Amino acid sequence: MDDIDRKIISFLSADARRSLADIGGNVNLSPSSVNERIRRLTAQGTIRRFTVELDPAAMGLETLVYVWIALHEDADESAFRRYAAAQAAILECHHVTGRWSYLVKIRVGSPPEIEGFLADLKAQKFLGRSETVIALSSPVAGALVQKDNS
Amino acid sequence: MDDIDRKIISFLSADARRSLADIGGNVNLSPSSVNERIRRLTAQGTIRRFTVELDPAAMGLETLVYVWIALHEDADESAFRRYAAAQAAILECHHVTGRWSYLVKIRVGSPPEIEGFLADLKAQKFLGRSETVIALSSPVAGALVQKDNS
DNA sequence: CGTGAAATCGACCGTAG
DNA sequence: CTACGGTCGATTTCACG
């Protein structure tokens, strides 16, 4: 991982379809050398995948919500993790320090859908207490990328 | 936005380098038709960009942190938004409902670096109160994609 | 890491439904 | 308005120096 690798990653982040020749011109390397570096970065997992960033509104996911969760005291924690991974609406789920045990980030079409999400969590007996925080606007939005289901 | 568009987006999400012919074979369309649809999805902004998903550890960003922020009472809110957008460590910044005004998601190399981040926020006179939450592990991690600085 | 050849791919056209 | 097939230039890829 040298400086050239970082530059290549930066170029690919901005536009993953730029040609090897184009990238090579910017880092003073031949197309095949750039190709070899990308191949290596991908093979060793530094680059996880080539993907597309999507517009949440166009995907019908305009409402961004964070839910703090304290698990029900006899909830199966690994079952909860599997549940979280399988739910399409759950973009992130983190085990966190502080008063709550999990922080879950979800995207839904509109605020009323939050209720169904919480109801399902409750029906699965995972939920102890929770606190819901809705994002009103996002000065820094974060990329919307579909979950990796591999 | 029909069902074929959604399938194409799903294929591109999993691997944005798949050939038009390959995708076309899976959705029963000719390569040029697939190309036309991707071109349209990109032009209308549904696909924002082609990019790469990165391994946080390989990028030296193993520590994921959420910071709740209540702005200093005479902080310039739009200046804060510009600051947030410019900070490389800030992956997301949302104006939220509830007791706090902003929720900020950052990634740093290690926990000690959080202190510097908070100190800078304070030095800029943005910070009223704050509460820091560290992610211990992430059952559903969320894609790491470099910020779009366009 | 660079060069050059070969295979593959994507961009563009006219045309058709 | 969207899909198709064919052509051409560009791009990736591979063996070799």
Side-chain angles (χ1 to χ4, degrees), chain A residues 9-10 12-13 15-17 45-56 58 64 66 68 81 85 91-97 99 103 105 131 133-140 142 146, chain B residues 9-10 12-13 15-17 45-56 58 64 66 68 81 85 91-97 99 103 105 131 133-140 142 146:
Chain A
I9 287 173
S10 169
L12 289 177
S13 294
D15 178 7
R17 290 194 298 188
T46 303
I47 295 176
R48 291 215 171 126
R49 58 170 167 163
F50 285 70
T51 189
V52 286
E53 179 182 329
L54 304 166
D55 174 21
L64 175 61
Y66 281 93
W68 295 100
R81 289 207 196 89
L91 300 177
E92 301 178 27
C93 174
H94 309 286
H95 192 199
V96 292
T97 60
R99 288 190 302 278
L103 173 60
K105 173 185 175 181
E131 206 169 291
V133 175
I134 300 174
L136 302 169
S137 67
S138 298
V140 186
Q146 275 188 15
Chain B
I9 286 172
S10 169
L12 290 178
S13 294
D15 179 7
R17 288 195 300 186
T46 304
I47 295 176
R48 290 219 171 120
R49 58 169 167 164
F50 285 70
T51 188
V52 287
E53 180 182 330
L54 304 166
D55 175 20
L64 175 62
Y66 283 92
W68 293 103
R81 291 207 194 88
L91 272 45
E92 301 177 28
C93 174
H94 309 286
H95 191 200
V96 293
T97 61
R99 286 189 305 277
L103 175 59
K105 174 184 175 182
E131 206 169 291
V133 174
I134 300 174
L136 302 168
S137 67
S138 298
V140 186
Q146 276 187 15

Coordinates of all heavy atoms in Angstrom, one line a residue, chain A residues 9-10 12-13 15-17 45-56 58 64 66 68 81 85 91-97 99 103 105 131 133-140 142 146, chain B residues 9-10 12-13 15-17 45-56 58 64 66 68 81 85 91-97 99 103 105 131 133-140 142 146:
Chain A
I9 N -6.8 4.2 -5.8 CA -8.1 4.0 -5.1 C -9.0 5.3 -5.1 O -10.2 5.2 -5.3 CB -7.8 3.6 -3.6 CG1 -7.3 2.1 -3.6 CG2 -9.1 3.7 -2.8 CD1 -6.9 1.6 -2.3
S10 N -8.3 6.4 -5.0 CA -9.1 7.6 -5.0 C -9.7 7.9 -6.4 O -10.9 8.3 -6.5 CB -8.1 8.8 -4.6 OG -8.7 10.0 -4.9
L12 N -10.5 5.5 -8.6 CA -11.6 4.6 -8.8 C -12.8 4.9 -7.9 O -13.9 4.7 -8.3 CB -11.1 3.2 -8.4 CG -10.1 2.5 -9.3 CD1 -9.6 1.2 -8.8 CD2 -10.6 2.4 -10.7
S13 N -12.6 5.5 -6.7 CA -13.7 5.9 -5.9 C -14.5 6.9 -6.6 O -15.8 6.9 -6.6 CB -13.2 6.5 -4.6 OG -12.6 5.5 -3.8
D15 N -14.6 7.5 -9.9 CA -15.2 6.9 -11.1 C -14.5 5.6 -11.4 O -13.5 5.6 -12.0 CB -15.1 7.9 -12.3 CG -15.6 7.3 -13.6 OD1 -16.2 6.2 -13.5 OD2 -15.5 7.9 -14.6
A16 N -15.2 4.5 -11.1 CA -14.6 3.2 -11.2 C -14.5 2.7 -12.6 O -14.0 1.7 -12.9 CB -15.4 2.2 -10.4
R17 N -15.1 3.5 -13.6 CA -15.0 3.1 -15.0 C -13.9 3.8 -15.8 O -13.8 3.7 -17.0 CB -16.4 3.4 -15.7 CG -17.4 2.4 -15.2 CD -18.6 2.4 -16.1 NE -19.3 3.8 -16.1 CZ -20.4 4.0 -16.7 NH1 -21.1 3.0 -17.3 NH2 -20.9 5.2 -16.6
G45 N -8.2 -7.9 -0.9 CA -9.4 -7.5 -0.1 C -9.4 -6.0 0.2 O -10.4 -5.6 0.9
T46 N -8.4 -5.3 -0.2 CA -8.4 -3.8 0.1 C -9.6 -3.2 -0.6 O -10.4 -2.4 -0.1 CB -7.1 -3.1 -0.3 OG1 -6.0 -3.8 0.4 CG2 -7.2 -1.7 0.0
I47 N -9.7 -3.6 -1.9 CA -11.0 -3.2 -2.7 C -11.9 -4.4 -2.5 O -11.6 -5.5 -3.0 CB -10.6 -3.0 -4.1 CG1 -9.7 -1.7 -4.3 CG2 -11.9 -2.8 -4.9 CD1 -9.3 -1.4 -5.7
R48 N -13.0 -4.2 -1.9 CA -14.0 -5.3 -1.6 C -14.8 -5.7 -2.9 O -15.0 -6.8 -3.2 CB -14.9 -5.0 -0.5 CG -14.2 -4.9 0.8 CD -15.1 -5.5 1.9 NE -14.4 -5.6 3.2 CZ -14.8 -5.1 4.3 NH1 -15.9 -4.3 4.4 NH2 -14.1 -5.3 5.4
R49 N -15.2 -4.6 -3.5 CA -16.0 -4.8 -4.8 C -16.1 -3.5 -5.6 O -16.0 -2.4 -5.0 CB -17.4 -5.4 -4.5 CG -18.2 -4.5 -3.6 CD -19.7 -5.0 -3.5 NE -20.3 -4.3 -2.4 CZ -21.6 -4.2 -2.2 NH1 -22.4 -4.8 -3.1 NH2 -22.2 -3.6 -1.2
F50 N -16.4 -3.7 -6.8 CA -16.8 -2.6 -7.7 C -18.3 -2.5 -7.6 O -19.0 -3.5 -7.8 CB -16.3 -2.8 -9.1 CG -14.8 -2.6 -9.3 CD1 -13.9 -3.5 -8.7 CD2 -14.3 -1.5 -10.0 CE1 -12.5 -3.3 -8.9 CE2 -12.9 -1.3 -10.1 CZ -12.1 -2.2 -9.6
T51 N -18.8 -1.3 -7.4 CA -20.2 -1.2 -7.2 C -20.8 0.2 -7.7 O -20.0 1.0 -8.3 CB -20.6 -1.4 -5.7 OG1 -22.0 -1.5 -5.5 CG2 -20.0 -0.3 -4.8
V52 N -22.0 0.4 -7.4 CA -22.6 1.7 -7.8 C -23.3 2.4 -6.6 O -23.8 1.7 -5.7 CB -23.7 1.5 -8.9 CG1 -23.1 1.3 -10.3 CG2 -24.7 0.5 -8.5
E53 N -23.1 3.7 -6.6 CA -23.8 4.5 -5.5 C -25.1 4.9 -6.0 O -25.2 5.4 -7.2 CB -22.9 5.6 -5.1 CG -23.5 6.5 -4.0 CD -22.6 7.7 -3.7 OE1 -21.4 7.6 -3.9 OE2 -23.2 8.8 -3.4
L54 N -26.2 4.8 -5.2 CA -27.5 5.0 -5.7 C -28.2 6.2 -5.1 O -27.8 6.7 -4.0 CB -28.4 3.8 -5.4 CG -27.8 2.5 -6.0 CD1 -28.5 1.3 -5.4 CD2 -28.0 2.5 -7.5
D55 N -29.1 6.8 -5.7 CA -29.9 7.9 -5.2 C -31.0 7.3 -4.3 O -31.9 6.6 -4.8 CB -30.5 8.7 -6.3 CG -31.4 9.8 -5.8 OD1 -31.3 10.2 -4.6 OD2 -32.3 10.3 -6.6
P56 N -31.0 7.6 -3.0 CA -32.0 7.0 -2.1 C -33.5 7.4 -2.5 O -34.3 6.5 -2.5 CB -31.7 7.7 -0.7 CG -30.3 8.1 -0.8 CD -30.0 8.5 -2.3
A58 N -34.6 7.9 -5.5 CA -35.0 7.1 -6.7 C -35.3 5.7 -6.3 O -36.1 5.0 -7.0 CB -33.9 7.2 -7.8
L64 N -34.3 8.2 6.4 CA -33.2 7.6 7.1 C -33.5 7.7 8.6 O -33.8 8.7 9.2 CB -31.9 8.4 6.8 CG -30.7 8.0 7.5 CD1 -30.3 6.6 7.2 CD2 -29.5 8.9 7.1
Y66 N -32.2 6.2 12.6 CA -31.4 5.4 13.5 C -32.2 4.9 14.7 O -33.0 5.7 15.3 CB -30.2 6.3 14.1 CG -29.1 6.5 13.0 CD1 -29.1 7.6 12.2 CD2 -28.1 5.6 13.0 CE1 -28.1 7.7 11.2 CE2 -27.1 5.7 12.0 CZ -27.1 6.8 11.2 OH -26.1 6.9 10.3
W68 N -31.8 3.1 18.4 CA -31.0 2.6 19.5 C -31.8 1.4 20.1 O -33.0 1.5 20.4 CB -30.9 3.6 20.6 CG -30.1 4.8 20.2 CD1 -30.5 6.0 19.7 CD2 -28.6 4.9 20.0 NE1 -29.5 6.8 19.4 CE2 -28.3 6.1 19.5 CE3 -27.6 3.9 20.3 CZ2 -27.0 6.5 19.3 CZ3 -26.3 4.4 20.0 CH2 -26.0 5.6 19.5
R81 N -28.4 -11.0 15.4 CA -27.4 -10.6 14.4 C -27.8 -11.2 13.0 O -27.7 -10.5 12.0 CB -26.0 -11.1 14.8 CG -25.4 -10.3 15.9 CD -23.9 -10.4 15.9 NE -23.4 -10.0 17.2 CZ -23.1 -10.8 18.2 NH1 -23.4 -12.1 18.0 NH2 -22.6 -10.4 19.3
A85 N -28.8 -9.0 9.6 CA -28.1 -9.2 8.4 C -29.1 -9.5 7.2 O -28.9 -9.1 6.1 CB -27.1 -10.3 8.5
L91 N -29.3 -1.2 7.1 CA -28.1 -0.9 6.4 C -26.9 -1.1 7.2 O -25.8 -1.5 6.8 CB -28.1 0.6 5.9 CG -29.3 0.9 4.9 CD1 -29.2 2.4 4.6 CD2 -29.2 0.1 3.7
E92 N -27.0 -0.8 8.5 CA -25.9 -1.0 9.4 C -26.5 -1.5 10.8 O -27.6 -1.1 11.2 CB -25.1 0.3 9.7 CG -24.5 0.9 8.4 CD -23.8 2.2 8.7 OE1 -23.3 2.4 9.8 OE2 -23.7 3.0 7.8
C93 N -25.7 -2.2 11.5 CA -26.0 -2.6 12.9 C -24.7 -2.8 13.6 O -23.9 -3.6 13.3 CB -26.8 -3.9 12.8 SG -27.1 -4.6 14.5
H94 N -24.6 -2.0 14.7 CA -23.3 -1.9 15.4 C -23.6 -2.2 16.9 O -24.5 -1.7 17.5 CB -22.7 -0.6 15.3 CG -22.5 -0.1 13.9 ND1 -21.6 -0.6 13.0 CD2 -23.2 0.9 13.2 CE1 -21.7 0.0 11.9 NE2 -22.7 0.9 11.9
H95 N -22.7 -3.0 17.5 CA -22.7 -3.2 18.9 C -21.9 -2.1 19.5 O -20.7 -1.9 19.1 CB -22.0 -4.6 19.2 CG -22.2 -5.0 20.7 ND1 -21.4 -5.9 21.2 CD2 -23.1 -4.6 21.6 CE1 -21.8 -6.1 22.5 NE2 -22.8 -5.3 22.7
V96 N -22.5 -1.3 20.4 CA -21.9 0.0 20.8 C -21.7 0.1 22.3 O -22.3 -0.6 23.1 CB -22.7 1.2 20.3 CG1 -22.6 1.3 18.8 CG2 -24.1 1.1 20.8
T97 N -20.8 1.0 22.6 CA -20.6 1.4 24.0 C -21.7 2.3 24.5 O -22.5 2.8 23.6 CB -19.3 2.2 24.2 OG1 -19.4 3.3 23.4 CG2 -18.1 1.3 23.8
R99 N -25.2 3.5 26.9 CA -26.4 3.0 27.5 C -27.1 2.0 26.7 O -27.9 1.2 27.2 CB -27.4 4.2 27.8 CG -27.0 5.1 28.9 CD -28.1 6.1 29.2 NE -28.5 6.9 28.0 CZ -27.8 8.0 27.6 NH1 -26.8 8.4 28.3 NH2 -28.2 8.6 26.6
L103 N -26.9 -0.1 17.8 CA -27.3 1.0 17.0 C -27.6 0.5 15.6 O -26.7 -0.1 15.0 CB -26.2 2.1 17.0 CG -26.5 3.3 16.0 CD1 -27.8 4.0 16.4 CD2 -25.4 4.3 16.0
K105 N -29.1 1.3 11.8 CA -29.4 2.3 10.8 C -30.3 1.7 9.7 O -29.9 0.7 9.1 CB -28.1 2.8 10.1 CG -28.3 3.8 9.0 CD -26.9 4.1 8.4 CE -27.1 5.0 7.1 NZ -25.7 5.2 6.5
E131 N -35.1 3.5 21.1 CA -35.3 5.0 20.9 C -35.0 5.3 19.5 O -34.0 4.8 18.9 CB -34.3 5.8 21.8 CG -34.8 7.2 22.2 CD -34.0 7.8 23.3 OE1 -34.1 7.3 24.4 OE2 -33.3 8.8 22.9
V133 N -34.6 7.8 16.2 CA -34.1 9.1 15.8 C -34.2 9.2 14.3 O -33.7 8.4 13.6 CB -32.6 9.3 16.2 CG1 -32.1 10.6 15.7 CG2 -32.5 9.2 17.8
I134 N -34.9 10.2 13.8 CA -35.1 10.4 12.4 C -34.2 11.5 11.9 O -34.1 12.6 12.5 CB -36.6 10.8 12.1 CG1 -37.5 9.6 12.6 CG2 -36.8 11.0 10.6 CD1 -39.0 9.9 12.5
A135 N -33.6 11.2 10.7 CA -32.7 12.3 10.1 C -33.6 13.2 9.3 O -34.4 12.8 8.4 CB -31.7 11.6 9.2
L136 N -33.5 14.5 9.7 CA -34.4 15.5 9.0 C -33.7 16.0 7.7 O -34.3 16.2 6.7 CB -34.6 16.7 9.9 CG -35.2 16.4 11.3 CD1 -35.1 17.5 12.2 CD2 -36.7 15.9 11.0
S137 N -32.4 16.1 7.8 CA -31.6 16.5 6.6 C -30.2 16.0 6.8 O -29.8 15.7 8.0 CB -31.6 18.0 6.4 OG -30.9 18.6 7.4
S138 N -29.4 15.9 5.8 CA -28.1 15.3 5.9 C -27.1 16.1 5.2 O -26.8 16.0 4.0 CB -28.1 13.9 5.3 OG -29.0 13.0 6.0
P139 N -26.4 17.0 6.0 CA -25.3 17.8 5.4 C -24.2 17.0 4.7 O -23.7 17.3 3.7 CB -24.8 18.6 6.6 CG -25.9 18.6 7.6 CD -26.7 17.4 7.3
V140 N -24.0 15.8 5.4 CA -23.1 14.8 4.7 C -23.8 13.5 4.7 O -24.0 12.9 5.8 CB -21.8 14.7 5.5 CG1 -20.8 13.8 4.8 CG2 -21.1 16.0 5.8
G142 N -23.5 10.3 3.2 CA -23.0 9.0 3.1 C -23.6 8.2 1.9 O -24.7 8.4 1.6
Q146 N -26.1 -0.8 -2.2 CA -26.9 -2.0 -1.8 C -26.0 -3.0 -0.9 O -24.8 -3.1 -1.2 CB -27.4 -2.8 -3.0 CG -28.7 -2.2 -3.5 CD -29.3 -3.1 -4.7 OE1 -28.9 -4.2 -4.9 NE2 -30.3 -2.5 -5.4
Chain B
I9 N -29.6 -2.8 -11.7 CA -28.9 -2.1 -10.5 C -28.4 -3.1 -9.5 O -27.3 -3.0 -9.0 CB -29.9 -1.2 -9.8 CG1 -30.2 0.1 -10.7 CG2 -29.5 -0.8 -8.5 CD1 -31.3 1.0 -10.2
S10 N -29.2 -4.2 -9.3 CA -28.7 -5.2 -8.4 C -27.4 -5.9 -8.9 O -26.5 -6.1 -8.1 CB -29.8 -6.2 -8.2 OG -29.4 -7.3 -7.5
L12 N -25.2 -4.6 -11.0 CA -24.1 -3.6 -10.9 C -23.7 -3.4 -9.5 O -22.5 -3.2 -9.2 CB -24.6 -2.3 -11.5 CG -24.8 -2.3 -13.0 CD1 -25.3 -0.9 -13.5 CD2 -23.5 -2.6 -13.7
S13 N -24.6 -3.5 -8.5 CA -24.2 -3.3 -7.1 C -23.2 -4.4 -6.7 O -22.3 -4.2 -6.0 CB -25.4 -3.4 -6.2 OG -26.2 -2.2 -6.5
D15 N -21.4 -6.3 -8.7 CA -20.1 -6.2 -9.5 C -20.3 -5.3 -10.7 O -20.9 -5.7 -11.7 CB -19.7 -7.6 -10.0 CG -18.4 -7.5 -10.8 OD1 -17.8 -6.4 -10.9 OD2 -18.0 -8.6 -11.4
A16 N -19.9 -4.1 -10.5 CA -20.1 -3.0 -11.5 C -19.3 -3.2 -12.7 O -19.4 -2.5 -13.7 CB -19.7 -1.6 -10.9
R17 N -18.4 -4.3 -12.7 CA -17.6 -4.5 -13.9 C -18.1 -5.6 -14.8 O -17.5 -5.9 -15.8 CB -16.1 -4.8 -13.5 CG -15.4 -3.6 -13.0 CD -13.9 -3.8 -12.9 NE -13.6 -4.9 -12.0 CZ -12.3 -5.2 -11.7 NH1 -11.3 -4.5 -12.2 NH2 -12.1 -6.2 -10.9
G45 N -29.7 10.3 -12.6 CA -29.2 10.4 -11.3 C -29.6 9.3 -10.3 O -29.2 9.3 -9.2
T46 N -30.2 8.3 -10.9 CA -30.6 7.1 -10.0 C -29.3 6.4 -9.6 O -29.1 6.1 -8.4 CB -31.5 6.1 -10.8 OG1 -32.7 6.8 -11.2 CG2 -31.9 5.0 -9.9
I47 N -28.4 6.2 -10.6 CA -27.0 5.8 -10.3 C -26.2 7.0 -10.2 O -26.0 7.8 -11.2 CB -26.5 4.9 -11.4 CG1 -27.3 3.6 -11.5 CG2 -25.0 4.6 -11.2 CD1 -26.9 2.7 -12.6
R48 N -25.6 7.3 -9.0 CA -24.9 8.5 -8.8 C -23.5 8.4 -9.4 O -22.9 9.3 -9.9 CB -24.8 8.9 -7.3 CG -26.1 9.3 -6.7 CD -25.9 10.4 -5.7 NE -27.2 11.0 -5.3 CZ -27.6 11.0 -4.0 NH1 -26.9 10.5 -3.1 NH2 -28.8 11.6 -3.7
R49 N -22.9 7.3 -9.1 CA -21.5 7.1 -9.6 C -21.1 5.6 -9.5 O -21.7 4.9 -8.7 CB -20.5 7.9 -8.9 CG -20.4 7.6 -7.4 CD -19.2 8.3 -6.7 NE -19.4 8.2 -5.3 CZ -18.4 8.4 -4.4 NH1 -17.2 8.7 -4.8 NH2 -18.7 8.4 -3.1
F50 N -20.2 5.2 -10.3 CA -19.5 3.9 -10.2 C -18.3 4.1 -9.3 O -17.6 5.0 -9.5 CB -19.1 3.4 -11.6 CG -20.2 3.0 -12.5 CD1 -21.1 3.9 -13.0 CD2 -20.4 1.6 -12.8 CE1 -22.2 3.5 -13.8 CE2 -21.4 1.2 -13.6 CZ -22.3 2.1 -14.1
T51 N -18.3 3.2 -8.3 CA -17.2 3.4 -7.3 C -16.7 2.1 -6.8 O -17.1 1.0 -7.3 CB -17.7 4.3 -6.2 OG1 -16.7 4.6 -5.3 CG2 -18.9 3.6 -5.4
V52 N -15.8 2.1 -5.8 CA -15.3 0.9 -5.2 C -15.6 0.9 -3.7 O -15.6 2.0 -3.0 CB -13.8 0.7 -5.4 CG1 -13.5 0.3 -6.8 CG2 -13.0 2.0 -5.0
E53 N -15.9 -0.3 -3.1 CA -16.1 -0.4 -1.7 C -14.8 -0.9 -1.1 O -14.2 -1.8 -1.6 CB -17.2 -1.5 -1.4 CG -17.5 -1.7 0.0 CD -18.5 -2.7 0.3 OE1 -19.4 -2.9 -0.6 OE2 -18.4 -3.4 1.3
L54 N -14.4 -0.3 0.0 CA -13.1 -0.5 0.5 C -13.1 -1.2 1.9 O -14.1 -1.2 2.6 CB -12.3 0.8 0.7 CG -12.2 1.6 -0.6 CD1 -11.8 3.1 -0.3 CD2 -11.2 1.0 -1.6
D55 N -12.0 -1.9 2.2 CA -11.8 -2.5 3.5 C -11.3 -1.5 4.5 O -10.2 -0.9 4.4 CB -10.8 -3.6 3.4 CG -10.5 -4.3 4.7 OD1 -11.3 -4.1 5.7 OD2 -9.5 -4.9 4.8
P56 N -12.1 -1.1 5.5 CA -11.7 -0.1 6.5 C -10.4 -0.4 7.1 O -9.6 0.5 7.3 CB -12.8 -0.2 7.6 CG -14.0 -0.8 6.9 CD -13.4 -1.7 5.9
A58 N -7.8 -2.0 5.9 CA -6.7 -1.8 5.0 C -6.5 -0.3 4.8 O -5.4 0.1 4.5 CB -7.0 -2.5 3.6
L64 N -14.8 2.9 14.3 CA -16.0 3.6 13.9 C -16.7 4.2 15.1 O -16.9 3.6 16.2 CB -17.0 2.5 13.3 CG -18.4 3.0 12.9 CD1 -18.3 4.1 11.8 CD2 -19.2 1.8 12.4
Y66 N -19.7 7.1 16.6 CA -20.8 8.1 16.4 C -20.7 9.1 17.5 O -20.5 8.8 18.7 CB -22.2 7.3 16.5 CG -22.5 6.6 15.3 CD1 -22.2 5.2 15.1 CD2 -23.2 7.2 14.2 CE1 -22.5 4.5 14.0 CE2 -23.5 6.5 13.1 CZ -23.2 5.2 12.9 OH -23.5 4.5 11.8
W68 N -22.9 12.3 19.1 CA -24.1 13.2 19.2 C -23.6 14.6 19.5 O -22.7 14.8 20.4 CB -24.9 12.8 20.4 CG -25.6 11.4 20.2 CD1 -25.2 10.3 20.7 CD2 -26.7 11.1 19.3 NE1 -26.0 9.3 20.3 CE2 -26.9 9.8 19.5 CE3 -27.5 11.9 18.5 CZ2 -28.0 9.1 18.8 CZ3 -28.5 11.3 17.8 CH2 -28.7 9.9 18.0
R81 N -21.9 23.0 8.9 CA -22.2 22.0 7.7 C -21.0 22.0 6.8 O -20.6 21.0 6.3 CB -23.5 22.4 7.0 CG -24.7 22.2 7.8 CD -25.9 22.0 6.9 NE -27.2 22.1 7.7 CZ -27.8 23.2 7.9 NH1 -27.4 24.4 7.4 NH2 -28.9 23.3 8.6
A85 N -18.6 18.8 5.9 CA -18.4 18.3 4.5 C -17.0 18.2 4.2 O -16.6 17.3 3.4 CB -19.2 19.1 3.6
L91 N -17.9 10.7 7.9 CA -18.6 10.0 6.8 C -20.0 10.4 6.6 O -20.6 10.3 5.5 CB -18.5 8.5 7.1 CG -17.3 7.7 6.7 CD1 -16.0 8.5 7.0 CD2 -17.2 6.4 7.3
E92 N -20.7 10.7 7.7 CA -22.1 11.2 7.7 C -22.3 12.2 8.7 O -21.6 12.2 9.8 CB -23.0 10.0 8.0 CG -22.9 8.8 7.0 CD -23.8 7.7 7.4 OE1 -24.9 7.9 8.0 OE2 -23.5 6.5 7.1
C93 N -23.2 13.1 8.4 CA -23.6 14.1 9.4 C -25.1 14.4 9.2 O -25.5 14.8 8.1 CB -22.8 15.4 9.3 SG -23.4 16.7 10.3
H94 N -25.9 14.1 10.2 CA -27.4 14.2 10.0 C -28.0 15.2 11.0 O -27.6 15.1 12.2 CB -28.1 12.9 10.1 CG -27.5 11.8 9.3 ND1 -27.6 11.8 7.9 CD2 -26.7 10.8 9.6 CE1 -27.0 10.7 7.4 NE2 -26.4 10.1 8.4
H95 N -28.9 16.0 10.6 CA -29.7 16.8 11.5 C -30.8 15.9 11.9 O -31.6 15.4 11.1 CB -30.2 18.1 10.8 CG -30.8 19.1 11.7 ND1 -31.7 20.0 11.2 CD2 -30.7 19.3 13.0 CE1 -32.0 20.8 12.2 NE2 -31.4 20.4 13.3
V96 N -31.0 15.7 13.2 CA -31.9 14.7 13.7 C -32.9 15.2 14.7 O -32.7 16.2 15.4 CB -31.1 13.5 14.3 CG1 -30.3 12.8 13.3 CG2 -30.2 14.0 15.5
T97 N -34.0 14.4 14.8 CA -35.0 14.7 15.9 C -34.4 14.2 17.2 O -33.4 13.5 17.3 CB -36.2 13.8 15.6 OG1 -35.9 12.5 15.6 CG2 -36.8 14.2 14.3
R99 N -33.1 14.7 21.4 CA -32.5 15.6 22.3 C -31.2 16.3 21.7 O -30.8 17.4 22.2 CB -32.0 14.9 23.6 CG -33.1 14.5 24.5 CD -32.5 13.9 25.8 NE -31.6 12.8 25.6 CZ -32.0 11.5 25.4 NH1 -33.3 11.3 25.4 NH2 -31.2 10.6 25.2
L103 N -26.2 14.1 14.5 CA -25.5 12.9 14.7 C -24.4 12.7 13.6 O -24.7 12.9 12.4 CB -26.5 11.7 14.5 CG -25.9 10.3 14.6 CD1 -25.2 10.1 15.9 CD2 -27.0 9.2 14.4
K105 N -21.1 10.6 12.1 CA -20.4 9.3 12.0 C -19.0 9.5 11.5 O -18.8 10.1 10.5 CB -21.2 8.4 11.0 CG -20.5 7.0 10.8 CD -21.3 6.3 9.7 CE -20.6 5.0 9.3 NZ -21.4 4.3 8.2
E131 N -21.8 13.6 23.0 CA -21.7 12.3 23.6 C -21.2 11.3 22.5 O -21.6 11.3 21.4 CB -23.1 11.8 24.0 CG -23.1 10.8 25.2 CD -24.5 10.6 25.8 OE1 -25.0 11.5 26.4 OE2 -25.0 9.5 25.6
V133 N -20.1 7.6 21.1 CA -20.4 6.2 21.1 C -19.5 5.4 20.2 O -19.4 5.8 19.0 CB -21.9 6.0 20.7 CG1 -22.2 4.5 20.6 CG2 -22.8 6.7 21.7
I134 N -18.8 4.4 20.7 CA -17.9 3.7 19.9 C -18.5 2.3 19.5 O -19.1 1.7 20.3 CB -16.6 3.4 20.7 CG1 -15.9 4.8 21.0 CG2 -15.6 2.6 19.8 CD1 -14.7 4.7 21.9
A135 N -18.3 2.0 18.2 CA -18.8 0.7 17.7 C -17.8 -0.4 18.1 O -16.6 -0.3 17.7 CB -19.0 0.7 16.2
L136 N -18.2 -1.4 18.8 CA -17.3 -2.5 19.3 C -17.2 -3.5 18.2 O -16.1 -4.1 17.9 CB -17.9 -3.1 20.6 CG -18.0 -2.1 21.7 CD1 -18.8 -2.7 22.8 CD2 -16.6 -1.7 22.2
S137 N -18.3 -3.8 17.6 CA -18.3 -4.8 16.4 C -19.5 -4.4 15.6 O -20.5 -3.8 16.1 CB -18.4 -6.2 16.9 OG -19.6 -6.4 17.6
S138 N -19.5 -4.9 14.4 CA -20.6 -4.5 13.4 C -21.2 -5.8 12.7 O -20.7 -6.2 11.7 CB -20.1 -3.5 12.4 OG -19.7 -2.4 13.1
P139 N -22.3 -6.3 13.3 CA -22.9 -7.4 12.6 C -23.3 -7.1 11.2 O -23.3 -8.0 10.3 CB -24.2 -7.6 13.5 CG -23.8 -7.1 14.8 CD -22.9 -6.0 14.6
V140 N -23.7 -5.9 10.9 CA -24.0 -5.4 9.6 C -23.2 -4.1 9.4 O -23.5 -3.1 10.0 CB -25.5 -5.1 9.3 CG1 -25.7 -4.8 7.9 CG2 -26.3 -6.3 9.7
G142 N -22.1 -2.1 6.7 CA -22.3 -0.9 5.9 C -21.0 -0.7 5.0 O -19.9 -0.9 5.5
Q146 N -15.4 6.0 -0.3 CA -14.8 7.4 -0.1 C -15.8 8.4 -0.4 O -16.6 8.3 -1.3 CB -13.5 7.6 -1.0 CG -12.3 7.0 -0.3 CD -11.0 7.4 -1.1 OE1 -11.0 8.2 -2.0 NE2 -9.9 6.7 -0.8

